[in-house]
Amino acid sequence: MMMGFSVSDELLGTVAPIVVYWLYSGIYVALSSLESYRLHSKAEEEEKNLVSKSSVVKGVLLQQLVQAVVAIILFTVTGSSDAEADKAQESSLLVLIRQFVVAMIVLDTWQYFMHRYMHHNKFLYKHIHSQHHRLIVPYAYGALYNHPVEGLILDTVGGALSFLISGMSPRTSIFFFSFATIKTVDDHCGLCLPGNLFHMVFKNNSAYHDVHHQLYGSKYNFSQPFFSMWDRMLGTYMPYSLEKREDGGFEARPTKEFKDD
């Protein structure tokens, strides 16, 4: 008789976002040859980026290791003492929706203000955040390429806060953090594909974030990964239009008043 094999929600909550990250990135790597949908040409990606792809992969794996350790500690410390209460909570769709929305707002709020501060503090930008901006032409699996300190502060601490404040269970966190990971990868994919649901639902998308990665947009469009509300409310939103390039593909062009700044 075969023994059943089960995996805990805590382990899945730790591992699933990592697996999702590389699987979803792989899809975009396969699609990256579609020049007619790229925000930058393949040649620009090779010429403008200031870091090798092997270094990016190593940096992302390091960040994911740190996130996994913190997740294990967090799940251990906040382990449920009442499994029945958790089960009843998870059965309510309204509770799940509320937890997702709260977690999205918490994560967005934390990342906006930390991200903006890292741009305005010259020491933090030079020694920490500038590492992420070595990718002038973003691509999918470079989404989590950050200095380890930035990865800890923005992503790991931000994720922990969204988990704790929303009150979600480890099982719910599997879906939330996998969703957040997919959204983050999508924002850095460098493609504007027709029918992309993220582009239909969220104004904060790959074109929006591409503007931020350009020199003219480095003081704008800090919001990530879901909404653009903080940029719009606090005057850091750079409006742009998505135009077709003569050599194929698209370009996120800022409006004239911002180009002249």
Side-chain angles (χ1 to χ4, degrees):
M1 184 175 181
M2 295 183 63
M3 297 289 291
F5 178 76
S6 63
V7 179
S8 69
D9 291 341
E10 290 79 4
L11 180 59
L12 279 175
T14 302
V15 175
I18 297 174
V19 174
V20 165
Y21 182 89
W22 293 108
L23 286 177
Y24 198 63
S25 294
I27 294 172
Y28 274 121
V29 169
L31 296 173
S32 63
S33 60
L34 299 175
E35 288 284 347
S36 58
Y37 298 109
R38 291 180 62 103
L39 290 167
H40 300 270
S41 68
K42 195 73 175 175
E44 283 182 298
E45 180 183 306
E46 299 297 332
E47 292 169 6
K48 292 185 177 182
N49 286 342
L50 306 175
V51 59
S52 69
K53 291 183 177 179
S54 61
S55 295
V56 168
V57 171
K58 292 175 185 176
V60 171
L61 289 173
L62 175 60
Q63 175 163 333
Q64 289 178 326
L65 175 61
V66 173
Q67 288 179 331
V69 171
V70 172
I72 291 170
I73 294 172
L74 185 64
F75 286 142
T76 300
V77 171
T78 61
S80 174
S81 60
D82 191 346
E84 290 186 3
D86 278 352
K87 186 175 181 180
Q89 182 188 59
E90 290 181 358
S91 65
S92 170
L93 180 60
L94 288 177
V95 169
L96 292 177
I97 292 173
R98 175 182 59 79
Q99 290 174 341
F100 254 69
V101 172
V102 169
M104 291 167 76
I105 293 173
V106 170
L107 187 58
D108 261 30
T109 301
W110 175 263
Q111 293 216 353
Y112 174 84
F113 287 101
M114 291 296 102
H115 185 192
R116 182 174 178 176
Y117 184 64
M118 284 191 175
H119 272 272
H120 287 277
N121 184 297
K122 293 181 179 179
F123 177 86
L124 290 178
Y125 184 82
K126 179 180 179 180
H127 296 284
I128 296 178
H129 187 57
S130 62
Q131 178 170 322
H132 182 68
H133 280 271
R134 292 174 187 170
L135 292 177
I136 298 167
V137 178
Y139 49 80
Y141 62 89
L144 292 183
Y145 176 65
N146 301 307
H147 189 284
V149 172
E150 177 179 350
L152 180 63
I153 294 174
L154 259 72
D155 298 319
T156 309
V157 173
L161 287 172
S162 64
F163 173 78
L164 293 170
I165 294 174
S166 68
M168 67 175 56
S169 68
R171 180 166 297 176
T172 303
S173 77
I174 298 170
F175 299 98
F176 174 73
F177 289 116
S178 294
F179 172 62
T181 297
I182 290 172
K183 179 64 170 65
T184 301
V185 169
D186 203 89
D187 289 348
H188 290 81
C189 71
L191 293 165
C192 280
L193 295 171
N196 187 322
L197 290 176
F198 285 122
H199 289 205
M200 296 177 185
V201 175
F202 296 99
K203 297 296 184 182
N204 189 340
N205 51 43
S206 57
Y208 186 96
H209 195 65
D210 183 76
V211 169
H212 176 71
H213 271 259
Q214 309 312 306
L215 182 61
Y216 57 75
S218 62
K219 300 292 185 183
Y220 299 91
N221 294 12
F222 298 112
S223 294
Q224 57 186 43
F226 298 113
F227 310 113
S228 59
M229 59 183 182
W230 290 116
D231 278 320
R232 293 175 184 274
M233 290 193 302
L234 298 178
T236 54
Y237 170 64
M238 176 177 279
Y240 64 90
S241 61
L242 196 61
E243 307 289 344
K244 286 191 174 182
R245 299 197 314 266
E246 290 185 3
D247 57 344
F250 296 99
E251 177 184 358
R253 295 178 185 170
T255 55
K256 187 176 185 299
E257 58 264 30
F258 281 90
K259 277 189 174 180
D260 293 341
D261 279 354

